[in-house]
Amino acid sequence: MLPRPTPATSEALPGGRGFAVVDVEATGRSPWRHRLVEVAVVVLDERLRPEGEFATLLDPLGPVGPTHVHRIRQADVEGAPRFREIAPRLLELLAGRVLVGHHVSCDHAFLDREFARIGVPLPPVPLLCTMRLARDHLPEVRGHGLAACAEAAGLGWYPAHTALGDARVTAELLRHCVGVPSCPPDDWAGPLREAARVPWPRLGRARSRPSGGAVPLLRREAPHGPWLPGSAAPELVLTQAGAMCSTA
């Protein structure tokens, strides 16, 4: 069984090297017209060992979009941070790392547009797509969606369409795919070296809210997997996962 993130681990130190596994939930399909409503990052070192996690709901400054897909209600994002408030932390987590996702170009496009809206251009960062890895190295997979790939890899149930649930299982899928005999061991060595050389912008941390309180993080959480096929899905819990520093 693949190693799993430690539940007590919440955040990773900035400026690392390795992989940043990302997943986002959005108010619609277009990065140009729609906004992020949830983001998660699972940070792995160069040997794919978990280093930390970050996740929060976001206030999209408008309707949350397809609740029937991502199960986020309008009331859930009340008091959630805006993207600008968590952008400095995201930059720290992504810096120096290969960006990984399932259909990673989609996650990257949403992140790129959100950063562009606050005047921060993302640098050209190496991307690694687990959908492509699964297509090349899981010949038994029936379809290339994340759920089908997770099933083919024997990863069990996970809380789909939650940013943290999807990011966690994507990280496990990455470890599974690069561990199969058909995957050359140097496939990711070049992107790791390239990612370490990319210069990243920095942002000052968000100031405290007008009330004087620090910027909150709101996190949807479910127990760590795997779960046996056919077992009941555990309920998601919305918790205040901590707060961003209130320094300038």
Side-chain angles (χ1 to χ4, degrees), residues 122-136:
L122 282 186
V125 59
L127 306 179
L128 181 57
C129 184
T130 55
M131 181 184 292
R132 180 174 295 180
L133 280 175
R135 183 184 63 202
D136 293 343

Side-chain angles (χ1 to χ4, degrees), residues 16-212:
R17 295 179 55 158
F19 303 86
V21 185
V22 300
D23 190 80
V24 303
E25 299 296 326
T27 62
R29 294 185 177 183
S30 170
W32 296 89
R33 294 187 294 110
H34 299 119
R35 302 296 302 271
L36 293 187
V37 72
E38 188 177 28
V39 62
V41 183
V42 174
V43 184
L44 308 175
D45 69 10
E46 293 171 292
R47 297 179 61 188
L48 301 178
R49 296 173 299 195
E51 291 188 317
E53 296 176 342
F54 173 91
T56 187
L57 293 172
L58 296 170
D59 182 354
L61 305 176
V64 296
T67 298
H68 67 284
V69 175
H70 53 50
R71 291 173 288 165
I72 299 170
R73 303 164 301 173
Q74 203 70 40
D76 293 336
V77 300
E78 293 179 4
R82 299 177 181 182
F83 183 82
R84 170 61 182 87
E85 294 175 316
I86 59 106
R89 183 60 181 151
L90 276 183
L91 288 174
E92 292 175 351
L93 291 169
L94 300 179
R97 299 180 187 271
V98 175
L99 191 68
V100 183
H102 201 76
H103 193 12
V104 68
S105 60
C106 179
D107 299 291
H108 178 262
F110 270 102
L111 288 172
D112 185 65
R113 286 305 306 154
E114 288 288 358
F115 277 109
R117 289 186 181 103
I118 63 172
V120 178
L122 282 186
V125 59
L127 306 179
L128 181 57
C129 184
T130 55
M131 181 184 292
R132 180 174 295 180
L133 280 175
R135 183 184 63 202
D136 293 343
H137 303 295
L138 292 179
E140 70 277 16
V141 68
R142 295 177 297 179
H144 300 302
L146 184 55
C149 293
E151 180 181 4
L155 301 179
W157 181 91
Y158 68 99
H161 295 296
T162 67
L164 185 56
D166 285 356
R168 283 174 174 167
V169 81
T170 299
E172 295 185 7
L173 181 61
L174 172 64
R175 286 193 289 263
H176 180 86
C177 287
V178 302
V180 300
S182 62
C183 186
D186 59 349
D187 264 10
W188 57 96
L192 280 170
R193 289 192 296 268
E194 181 184 348
R197 293 193 295 262
V198 173
W200 278 77
R202 295 283 183 177
L203 277 177
R205 289 296 181 96
R207 297 181 181 273
S208 59
R209 292 286 176 85
S211 63

Side-chain angles (χ1 to χ4, degrees), residues 1-15:
M1 186 56 62
L2 298 171
R4 279 170 172 71
T6 303
T9 301
S10 59
E11 294 198 23
L13 295 175

